[in-house]
Amino acid sequence: MRIGKEKVSRIRLAPVLLAFSLAAGSVFLVPSAYALSELHKIPGQAAGEAPPQGNAQGQNQPQGTTPGVPMADPLVNSQNGQGVDKTPGAQDASKPVEVIYDISKAPEPVRKMRQQIVEAAASGDLERLRPLIGTGSDQTQVTVGEATDDPISTLKDLSGDPDGNEILAIMLDIMSTGFVHVGQGTAEDMYVWPYFAEKDLKSLTPPERVELLRIVTAGDLADMQEFGGYNFYRLGITPDGKWKFFTAGD
């Protein structure tokens, strides 16, 4: 399932957690490793993906979707919990967040971009993401702060392996979860994966915890709960199909 996740988990969580601890007046240390993702069901060759039909209550996966990436048959279908103001356009933390699993409820440009990202990531070739990332002011944000000159090179550097396969696996894991629609009617209108970015992690149900633990380790989750929210990778797509960001942190 998850090869050496405790050994190679959380290297990129450490700076965020350390900064939070210093602000609170006490320093705590976290292991210097990064969480690996599961690719045991993901083929090396991309396959076509069709928008799912029906609801998220255990219906079969639509024919033509990429194997190993749940579409209309998720582990969890919950709309409980509170939002966490962690992403652009994040919902009011006092309001319940609606978790969406049916990708057909997203606009067609969002569905198309998601499918292209999934297919590129499943191929194992990081360069297949380049046409989707864009350039200039439309370039996908892959680091917090200023844009990088070469986002593909940056993603490769962030990966725990020289070919960037780990970062692609993380991307697939994230996009296999439910998602949320935040910032409706504002300039930050966005569809965000995973939905944990907008959830109170201390209120997760057991099935939701299992789904999150497909992405991070139990140690990561404990650190996130202490930190106050999800701070691993998240991905955002605008309603018009622009891939806005793929970043880690709060």
Side-chain angles (χ1 to χ4, degrees):
M1 291 291 293
R2 193 176 289 105
I3 301 175
K5 293 185 72 172
E6 290 296 337
K7 181 178 179 182
V8 292
S9 118
R10 304 193 289 283
I11 191 170
R12 290 166 184 81
L13 298 182
V16 178
L17 294 171
L18 181 58
F20 174 80
S21 176
L22 288 172
S26 62
V27 178
F28 62 93
L29 299 178
V30 295
S32 57
Y34 210 10
L36 283 176
S37 299
E38 304 167 352
L39 268 180
H40 60 284
K41 293 184 179 179
I42 302 299
Q45 180 63 39
E49 176 182 357
Q53 303 297 322
N55 58 32
Q57 298 296 330
Q59 293 187 0
N60 293 329
Q61 186 175 354
Q63 185 176 4
T65 57
T66 303
V69 182
M71 294 292 290
D73 188 21
L75 293 179
V76 185
N77 185 14
S78 171
Q79 296 183 1
N80 297 323
Q82 301 295 320
V84 179
D85 191 8
K86 297 294 183 182
T87 52
Q91 300 188 43
D92 186 340
S94 65
K95 299 178 181 178
V97 59
E98 179 186 4
V99 180
I100 308 170
Y101 283 98
D102 186 354
I103 190 62
S104 68
K105 293 183 178 180
E108 192 276 336
V110 175
R111 300 197 304 268
K112 182 178 179 181
M113 176 56 74
R114 178 192 179 278
Q115 177 177 336
Q116 290 175 322
I117 294 172
V118 166
E119 291 179 349
S123 75
D125 182 2
L126 199 61
E127 280 294 330
R128 287 189 56 175
L129 293 175
R130 191 177 294 278
L132 309 178
I133 285 179
T135 59
S137 60
D138 290 331
Q139 179 176 297
T140 303
Q141 180 183 1
V142 296
T143 58
V144 177
E146 296 183 0
T148 62
D149 294 333
D150 186 352
I152 294 298
S153 178
T154 299
L155 288 175
K156 184 176 292 187
D157 291 341
L158 290 172
S159 189
D161 68 292
D163 298 319
N165 292 155
E166 182 191 46
I167 208 73
L168 294 175
I170 292 171
M171 199 174 293
L172 283 173
D173 282 347
I174 286 172
M175 301 209 74
S176 72
T177 71
F179 59 98
V180 292
H181 184 194
V182 300
Q184 294 95 321
T186 73
E188 299 294 345
D189 197 342
M190 201 87 57
Y191 290 83
V192 178
W193 286 262
Y195 69 89
F196 304 110
E198 299 298 320
K199 291 279 288 186
D200 178 359
L201 300 187
K202 293 182 179 180
S203 69
L204 294 178
T205 66
E208 288 172 334
R209 285 176 59 87
V210 170
E211 189 171 26
L212 178 53
L213 289 172
R214 296 176 64 194
I215 301 173
V216 301
T217 67
D220 290 333
L221 175 54
D223 289 341
M224 288 179 187
Q225 289 175 327
E226 186 173 356
F227 173 71
Y230 176 86
N231 56 13
F232 196 50
Y233 280 96
R234 69 199 68 205
L235 186 150
I237 302 175
T238 63
D240 61 357
K242 176 185 175 183
W243 184 5
K244 189 70 173 180
F245 60 82
F246 176 66
T247 57
D250 63 349

